[in-house]
Amino acid sequence: MTDPNFPNWHGTTILAVHKNGQTVIAGDGQVSMGPTIVKGNAKKVRRLAGGKVLAGFAGATADAFTLIERLEAKLEQYPDQLARACVDLAKDWRTDRYLRRLEAMLIVADKEAIYTVTGVGDVLEPEFGVAAIGSGGQFALAAARALVDFDLTAEDIARRAMAIAGDICVYTNGALTLETLDA
């Protein structure tokens, strides 16, 4: 539930695509408060673990940064074990009183896998090598799923799907941050 004392912030679409050994996470740059765009070039995608892991976030920025810091600590504790680090983060997020209050979601990926990590304890590995979160996430997911069988790279799919999401979702723009890992 959203706190009524805080503004109604929207404006994130994060998409991850894994295809033919390439993994991409793309995020748009729009942050909105109600009907007003307050920032158009926010960076919601980061490289972690010395560049071997990508993370994108949706939700409250400070909350997401807290989660990314925790994930980085888990990746140091469990090097080259992304699934274990994500599961451990989700467990802490679900059971720690402070972390439970955080309002954000993460998509995390390495060269082999993509995971969506939520505050209710979910660590989901998507089907078809595509995952998305945020206000325009379902539009980007549908577009990427439709494109994944065509002769396109993961980056091409991510760019096209994010453009489609931006054409449909008023909380998504075309100012992309895109990070890529190649096998």
Side-chain angles (χ1 to χ4, degrees):
M1 183 172 125
T2 305
D3 188 331
N5 298 316
F6 291 95
N8 189 13
W9 292 87
H10 292 283
T12 301
T13 301
I14 304 294
L15 172 68
V17 179
H18 178 81
K19 183 177 179 183
N20 296 333
Q22 185 183 54
T23 302
V24 175
I25 295 186
D28 80 310
Q30 184 166 307
V31 178
S32 304
M33 186 171 68
T36 305
I37 297 169
V38 293
K39 185 169 184 167
N41 63 347
K43 305 277 188 235
K44 304 168 195 168
V45 178
R46 304 276 186 269
R47 284 185 172 272
L48 310 174
K52 295 189 287 187
V53 173
L54 305 176
F57 64 86
T61 304
D63 292 356
F65 284 159
T66 299
L67 293 168
I68 286 173
E69 287 173 8
R70 295 283 182 120
L71 178 60
E72 284 184 299
K74 298 295 182 188
L75 290 166
E76 287 176 16
Q77 187 177 358
Y78 307 114
D80 300 320
Q81 297 180 60
L82 182 59
R84 185 169 181 186
C86 289
V87 168
D88 218 39
L89 174 65
K91 183 178 78 171
D92 289 353
W93 194 354
R94 176 100 170 122
T95 59
D96 183 279
R97 173 176 248 161
Y98 167 72
L99 293 178
R100 267 194 312 239
R101 298 178 57 94
L102 299 181
E103 295 184 8
M105 289 180 72
L106 298 176
I107 287 185
V108 183
D110 62 11
K111 291 178 183 179
E112 288 90 38
I114 299 170
Y115 300 101
T116 302
V117 186
T118 73
V120 294
D122 294 322
V123 178
L124 306 169
E125 188 171 8
E127 293 181 315
F128 310 106
V130 179
I133 57 174
S135 12
Q138 297 309 308
F139 303 116
L141 178 67
R145 290 272 307 269
L147 294 168
V148 80
D149 289 332
F150 289 92
D151 187 24
L152 299 169
T153 66
E155 184 173 335
D156 291 338
I157 293 167
R159 286 186 185 281
R160 289 179 185 201
M162 290 295 287
I164 291 167
D167 287 345
I168 298 170
C169 177
V170 297
Y171 298 114
T172 303
N173 71 10
L176 292 185
T177 300
L178 192 132
E179 294 286 349
T180 303
L181 295 173
D182 290 312

mmCIF file with all atom_site columns, all heavy atoms in Angstrom, residues 30 62 70 72 74 106 124 159 178:
data_model
loop_
_atom_site.group_PDB
_atom_site.id
_atom_site.type_symbol
_atom_site.label_atom_id
_atom_site.label_alt_id
_atom_site.label_comp_id
_atom_site.label_asym_id
_atom_site.label_entity_id
_atom_site.label_seq_id
_atom_site.pdbx_PDB_ins_code
_atom_site.Cartn_x
_atom_site.Cartn_y
_atom_site.Cartn_z
_atom_site.occupancy
_atom_site.B_iso_or_equiv
_atom_site.pdbx_formal_charge
_atom_site.auth_seq_id
_atom_site.auth_comp_id
_atom_site.auth_asym_id
_atom_site.auth_atom_id
_atom_site.pdbx_PDB_model_num
ATOM 1  N N   . GLN A 1 30  ? 12.082 8.366   -17.319 1.00 0.00 ? 30  GLN A N   1
ATOM 2  C CA  . GLN A 1 30  ? 11.030 9.256   -16.826 1.00 0.00 ? 30  GLN A CA  1
ATOM 3  C C   . GLN A 1 30  ? 10.648 8.991   -15.382 1.00 0.00 ? 30  GLN A C   1
ATOM 4  O O   . GLN A 1 30  ? 10.447 7.859   -14.980 1.00 0.00 ? 30  GLN A O   1
ATOM 5  C CB  . GLN A 1 30  ? 9.781  9.137   -17.704 1.00 0.00 ? 30  GLN A CB  1
ATOM 6  C CG  . GLN A 1 30  ? 8.678  10.106  -17.305 1.00 0.00 ? 30  GLN A CG  1
ATOM 7  C CD  . GLN A 1 30  ? 7.621  10.214  -18.359 1.00 0.00 ? 30  GLN A CD  1
ATOM 8  O OE1 . GLN A 1 30  ? 7.938  10.480  -19.513 1.00 0.00 ? 30  GLN A OE1 1
ATOM 9  N NE2 . GLN A 1 30  ? 6.377  10.009  -17.993 1.00 0.00 ? 30  GLN A NE2 1
ATOM 10 N N   . ALA A 1 62  ? 15.444 5.812   -3.322  1.00 0.00 ? 62  ALA A N   1
ATOM 11 C CA  . ALA A 1 62  ? 16.260 5.550   -2.129  1.00 0.00 ? 62  ALA A CA  1
ATOM 12 C C   . ALA A 1 62  ? 16.093 4.108   -1.676  1.00 0.00 ? 62  ALA A C   1
ATOM 13 O O   . ALA A 1 62  ? 17.067 3.468   -1.260  1.00 0.00 ? 62  ALA A O   1
ATOM 14 C CB  . ALA A 1 62  ? 15.891 6.517   -1.001  1.00 0.00 ? 62  ALA A CB  1
ATOM 15 N N   . ARG A 1 70  ? 22.483 -3.802  -0.689  1.00 0.00 ? 70  ARG A N   1
ATOM 16 C CA  . ARG A 1 70  ? 22.373 -5.118  -0.035  1.00 0.00 ? 70  ARG A CA  1
ATOM 17 C C   . ARG A 1 70  ? 22.703 -6.237  -1.010  1.00 0.00 ? 70  ARG A C   1
ATOM 18 O O   . ARG A 1 70  ? 23.355 -7.219  -0.657  1.00 0.00 ? 70  ARG A O   1
ATOM 19 C CB  . ARG A 1 70  ? 20.959 -5.334  0.527   1.00 0.00 ? 70  ARG A CB  1
ATOM 20 C CG  . ARG A 1 70  ? 20.567 -4.402  1.637   1.00 0.00 ? 70  ARG A CG  1
ATOM 21 C CD  . ARG A 1 70  ? 21.211 -4.822  2.949   1.00 0.00 ? 70  ARG A CD  1
ATOM 22 N NE  . ARG A 1 70  ? 20.803 -3.949  4.021   1.00 0.00 ? 70  ARG A NE  1
ATOM 23 C CZ  . ARG A 1 70  ? 20.161 -4.346  5.113   1.00 0.00 ? 70  ARG A CZ  1
ATOM 24 N NH1 . ARG A 1 70  ? 19.858 -5.618  5.274   1.00 0.00 ? 70  ARG A NH1 1
ATOM 25 N NH2 . ARG A 1 70  ? 19.843 -3.476  6.032   1.00 0.00 ? 70  ARG A NH2 1
ATOM 26 N N   . GLU A 1 72  ? 24.682 -6.026  -3.601  1.00 0.00 ? 72  GLU A N   1
ATOM 27 C CA  . GLU A 1 72  ? 26.135 -6.009  -3.820  1.00 0.00 ? 72  GLU A CA  1
ATOM 28 C C   . GLU A 1 72  ? 26.858 -6.737  -2.696  1.00 0.00 ? 72  GLU A C   1
ATOM 29 O O   . GLU A 1 72  ? 27.796 -7.501  -2.950  1.00 0.00 ? 72  GLU A O   1
ATOM 30 C CB  . GLU A 1 72  ? 26.650 -4.572  -3.939  1.00 0.00 ? 72  GLU A CB  1
ATOM 31 C CG  . GLU A 1 72  ? 26.340 -3.957  -5.283  1.00 0.00 ? 72  GLU A CG  1
ATOM 32 C CD  . GLU A 1 72  ? 26.923 -2.572  -5.443  1.00 0.00 ? 72  GLU A CD  1
ATOM 33 O OE1 . GLU A 1 72  ? 26.557 -1.682  -4.657  1.00 0.00 ? 72  GLU A OE1 1
ATOM 34 O OE2 . GLU A 1 72  ? 27.746 -2.407  -6.362  1.00 0.00 ? 72  GLU A OE2 1
ATOM 35 N N   . LYS A 1 74  ? 25.617 -9.171  -0.917  1.00 0.00 ? 74  LYS A N   1
ATOM 36 C CA  . LYS A 1 74  ? 25.336 -10.602 -1.122  1.00 0.00 ? 74  LYS A CA  1
ATOM 37 C C   . LYS A 1 74  ? 26.210 -11.172 -2.249  1.00 0.00 ? 74  LYS A C   1
ATOM 38 O O   . LYS A 1 74  ? 26.669 -12.306 -2.163  1.00 0.00 ? 74  LYS A O   1
ATOM 39 C CB  . LYS A 1 74  ? 23.858 -10.838 -1.443  1.00 0.00 ? 74  LYS A CB  1
ATOM 40 C CG  . LYS A 1 74  ? 22.894 -10.434 -0.359  1.00 0.00 ? 74  LYS A CG  1
ATOM 41 C CD  . LYS A 1 74  ? 23.049 -11.264 0.882   1.00 0.00 ? 74  LYS A CD  1
ATOM 42 C CE  . LYS A 1 74  ? 22.024 -10.865 1.926   1.00 0.00 ? 74  LYS A CE  1
ATOM 43 N NZ  . LYS A 1 74  ? 22.265 -11.523 3.207   1.00 0.00 ? 74  LYS A NZ  1
ATOM 44 N N   . LEU A 1 106 ? 13.329 -5.175  -8.186  1.00 0.00 ? 106 LEU A N   1
ATOM 45 C CA  . LEU A 1 106 ? 14.578 -5.266  -8.936  1.00 0.00 ? 106 LEU A CA  1
ATOM 46 C C   . LEU A 1 106 ? 14.472 -6.312  -10.036 1.00 0.00 ? 106 LEU A C   1
ATOM 47 O O   . LEU A 1 106 ? 13.822 -7.345  -9.854  1.00 0.00 ? 106 LEU A O   1
ATOM 48 C CB  . LEU A 1 106 ? 15.730 -5.685  -8.020  1.00 0.00 ? 106 LEU A CB  1
ATOM 49 C CG  . LEU A 1 106 ? 16.116 -4.793  -6.854  1.00 0.00 ? 106 LEU A CG  1
ATOM 50 C CD1 . LEU A 1 106 ? 17.208 -5.471  -6.027  1.00 0.00 ? 106 LEU A CD1 1
ATOM 51 C CD2 . LEU A 1 106 ? 16.583 -3.446  -7.339  1.00 0.00 ? 106 LEU A CD2 1
ATOM 52 N N   . LEU A 1 124 ? 11.963 -14.651 -9.173  1.00 0.00 ? 124 LEU A N   1
ATOM 53 C CA  . LEU A 1 124 ? 11.351 -15.281 -10.329 1.00 0.00 ? 124 LEU A CA  1
ATOM 54 C C   . LEU A 1 124 ? 12.303 -15.277 -11.514 1.00 0.00 ? 124 LEU A C   1
ATOM 55 O O   . LEU A 1 124 ? 12.850 -14.236 -11.869 1.00 0.00 ? 124 LEU A O   1
ATOM 56 C CB  . LEU A 1 124 ? 10.074 -14.528 -10.715 1.00 0.00 ? 124 LEU A CB  1
ATOM 57 C CG  . LEU A 1 124 ? 9.042  -14.356 -9.594  1.00 0.00 ? 124 LEU A CG  1
ATOM 58 C CD1 . LEU A 1 124 ? 7.966  -13.390 -10.024 1.00 0.00 ? 124 LEU A CD1 1
ATOM 59 C CD2 . LEU A 1 124 ? 8.463  -15.697 -9.219  1.00 0.00 ? 124 LEU A CD2 1
ATOM 60 N N   . ARG A 1 159 ? 15.481 -2.416  -27.296 1.00 0.00 ? 159 ARG A N   1
ATOM 61 C CA  . ARG A 1 159 ? 15.242 -1.057  -27.817 1.00 0.00 ? 159 ARG A CA  1
ATOM 62 C C   . ARG A 1 159 ? 13.852 -0.935  -28.453 1.00 0.00 ? 159 ARG A C   1
ATOM 63 O O   . ARG A 1 159 ? 13.115 0.024   -28.203 1.00 0.00 ? 159 ARG A O   1
ATOM 64 C CB  . ARG A 1 159 ? 16.317 -0.677  -28.828 1.00 0.00 ? 159 ARG A CB  1
ATOM 65 C CG  . ARG A 1 159 ? 17.655 -0.371  -28.191 1.00 0.00 ? 159 ARG A CG  1
ATOM 66 C CD  . ARG A 1 159 ? 18.664 0.154   -29.208 1.00 0.00 ? 159 ARG A CD  1
ATOM 67 N NE  . ARG A 1 159 ? 19.967 0.324   -28.617 1.00 0.00 ? 159 ARG A NE  1
ATOM 68 C CZ  . ARG A 1 159 ? 20.333 1.345   -27.854 1.00 0.00 ? 159 ARG A CZ  1
ATOM 69 N NH1 . ARG A 1 159 ? 19.473 2.292   -27.568 1.00 0.00 ? 159 ARG A NH1 1
ATOM 70 N NH2 . ARG A 1 159 ? 21.554 1.413   -27.359 1.00 0.00 ? 159 ARG A NH2 1
ATOM 71 N N   . LEU A 1 178 ? 20.821 1.653   -21.196 1.00 0.00 ? 178 LEU A N   1
ATOM 72 C CA  . LEU A 1 178 ? 20.875 0.265   -21.632 1.00 0.00 ? 178 LEU A CA  1
ATOM 73 C C   . LEU A 1 178 ? 22.253 -0.287  -21.305 1.00 0.00 ? 178 LEU A C   1
ATOM 74 O O   . LEU A 1 178 ? 23.270 0.321   -21.640 1.00 0.00 ? 178 LEU A O   1
ATOM 75 C CB  . LEU A 1 178 ? 20.621 0.215   -23.137 1.00 0.00 ? 178 LEU A CB  1
ATOM 76 C CG  . LEU A 1 178 ? 20.351 -1.150  -23.715 1.00 0.00 ? 178 LEU A CG  1
ATOM 77 C CD1 . LEU A 1 178 ? 19.129 -1.082  -24.613 1.00 0.00 ? 178 LEU A CD1 1
ATOM 78 C CD2 . LEU A 1 178 ? 21.536 -1.616  -24.490 1.00 0.00 ? 178 LEU A CD2 1
#
